[in-house]
Amino acid sequence: MRCKKVILGLLLAFVVGFVCQLAHIPVPAPPVLGAALLVFLTSCGYWLTGLYLQRRQQAEKREAP
């Protein structure tokens, strides 16, 4: 399930970029590598935080009597 969300997010980003290119409209992303990297790392942080919170919640359920 975790990887499914990541793959779906990457696929959606690709589709948005593809459609923007076909329609000749600006891509809703920064045009410089540093800013694009910032967006990528923000997305990774969001995903990793969700993963951490999910595992933490599962561990708490196992410890509860």
Side-chain angles (χ1 to χ4, degrees), residues 6-62:
V6 173
I7 292 171
L8 185 60
L10 291 172
L11 182 64
L12 179 62
F14 178 79
V15 168
V16 167
F18 185 77
V19 170
C20 287
Q21 179 68 22
L22 286 178
H24 299 291
I25 58 174
V27 177
V32 293
L33 183 59
L37 185 60
L38 179 64
V39 170
F40 174 72
L41 291 175
T42 302
S43 299
C44 287
Y46 180 82
W47 174 65
L48 289 173
T49 302
L51 182 64
Y52 168 75
L53 291 174
Q54 182 182 18
R55 288 187 179 181
R56 184 173 153 191
Q57 184 180 26
Q58 289 174 352
E60 289 175 355
K61 284 182 181 178
R62 281 182 275 179

